Amino acid sequence: MEFIRKIIGDNIPIWDQCMDTPFVQDMKSGRLSLENFKEYMIQDSIYLKHYARIYGKAIYHAVTLREIRIYHSMMDFVTEQESTVRLHYLEQFGITDDEIELITPLPENRNYLDFMYTVAERGDGCEILMAVLPCMLSYSYLFRRLSAKPESWKSKYRDFIDDYADDRYAENCRQWCIFAQQKCGALSGTEQEKLGHIFKRASLLELDFWNMVYRKHTGKRKEKTES
């Protein structure tokens, strides 16, 4: 998997920056306030609704039944497993799906969604994959690292950490990487370089997302992420 391994390797430094954000570090230790976690959950629920729609766009442009099945497996994970976890927390916070629909995305969230929709509108399957994969893959990378940290073992967010550190999730990510390699690995160097820029932009937007809640309180925002 030379292409996908290289593209992941190029972005590990960005994912490590995600790991080092105050939000993730406070989640690891359990110091993260419930109010900040609640805000993250709300924004992530908004994000996931739109994220699932991007997979719908990929399915529409799929050229084989196998592609449709793979995209559907990715969308199913978003709409079933991830959404179930969030619903559990949102119920604890007393927030309903209908209330989520009325909440405006924060700028970092809006920038990320706008980026993915722009890529999806072009209808290129490889470009769509590069826009959506960093979310899935970086979460597996981050939370497996978090899960291994002794400090996280007593975190009040341990169940949330364990959900993304799950071996089944890691195996799903591996299968999605194999698919991405098969679909995009034979493209020209120029085309792969373009895909690399999309993957990097999405990874940087992930970093912005992890900083989002604390930026809201400090007022230190960037309206756009440089690629």
Side-chain angles (χ1 to χ4, degrees):
M1 295 198 295
E2 182 179 351
F3 164 66
I4 196 67
R5 281 177 181 155
K6 181 182 184 305
I7 213 169
I8 290 172
D10 288 345
N11 286 273
I12 288 294
I14 299 173
W15 297 355
D16 286 339
Q17 289 181 62
C18 295
M19 180 76 173
D20 291 337
T21 58
F23 186 97
V24 174
Q25 290 299 306
D26 285 350
M27 180 170 57
K28 177 184 70 174
S29 67
R31 292 191 303 265
L32 180 67
S33 72
L34 283 175
E35 189 61 31
N36 282 341
F37 188 67
K38 173 183 173 182
E39 183 139 35
Y40 159 81
M41 275 293 177
I42 290 170
Q43 290 296 318
D44 208 35
S45 297
I46 296 169
Y47 169 88
L48 286 176
K49 177 186 71 175
H50 294 279
Y51 187 67
R53 288 175 177 169
I54 302 300
Y55 283 105
K57 191 78 170 179
I59 289 171
Y60 179 79
H61 289 284
V63 295
T64 67
L65 286 173
R66 177 174 176 269
E67 283 190 29
I68 291 173
R69 285 195 295 270
I70 291 172
Y71 288 134
H72 189 271
S73 77
M74 298 169 85
M75 184 170 66
D76 184 65
F77 178 84
V78 173
T79 57
E80 297 300 326
Q81 184 167 332
E82 283 198 288
S83 293
T84 299
V85 172
R86 275 152 186 75
L87 282 174
H88 173 70
Y89 275 102
L90 292 172
E91 285 174 2
Q92 291 185 40
F93 295 136
I95 301 172
T96 66
D97 280 345
D98 289 341
E99 289 171 324
I100 293 288
E101 295 291 337
L102 301 176
I103 298 173
T104 302
L106 290 173
E108 292 83 357
N109 197 357
R110 184 74 268 165
N111 288 342
Y112 201 168
L113 295 174
D114 287 347
F115 162 73
M116 287 193 295
Y117 275 120
T118 297
V119 173
E121 283 303 312
R122 293 198 287 263
D124 182 292
C126 284
E127 291 187 5
I128 294 173
L129 269 176
M130 294 304 106
V132 299
L133 274 179
C135 177
M136 294 288 202
L137 302 185
S138 68
Y139 264 63
S140 180
Y141 175 81
L142 287 173
F143 282 84
R144 287 177 79 81
R145 285 189 63 198
L146 283 175
S147 180
K149 301 287 186 181
E151 191 180 1
S152 75
W153 298 347
K154 294 183 179 180
S155 171
K156 60 189 173 188
Y157 304 107
R158 182 69 198 188
D159 58 342
F160 183 67
I161 293 170
D162 283 342
D163 195 59
Y164 285 105
D166 184 76
D167 287 341
R168 290 178 301 172
Y169 180 48
E171 175 59 22
N172 283 336
C173 287
R174 191 181 75 84
Q175 293 298 325
W176 297 331
C177 284
I178 291 172
F179 170 62
Q181 175 66 31
Q182 292 170 343
K183 185 170 179 61
C184 312
L187 296 176
S188 70
T190 299
E191 291 172 313
Q192 289 187 358
E193 184 177 2
K194 181 180 179 181
L195 295 180
H197 287 306
I198 294 172
F199 196 101
K200 180 181 178 182
R201 177 74 186 280
S203 292
L204 288 168
L205 288 163
E206 279 291 320
L207 177 58
D208 273 358
F209 201 96
W210 285 118
N211 281 315
M212 172 177 58
V213 172
Y214 282 10
R215 278 185 186 156
K216 178 183 178 182
H217 298 303
T218 62
K220 296 177 181 177
R221 293 195 178 279
K222 294 187 299 181
E223 290 302 314
K224 292 185 179 180
T225 298
E226 298 296 332
S227 61

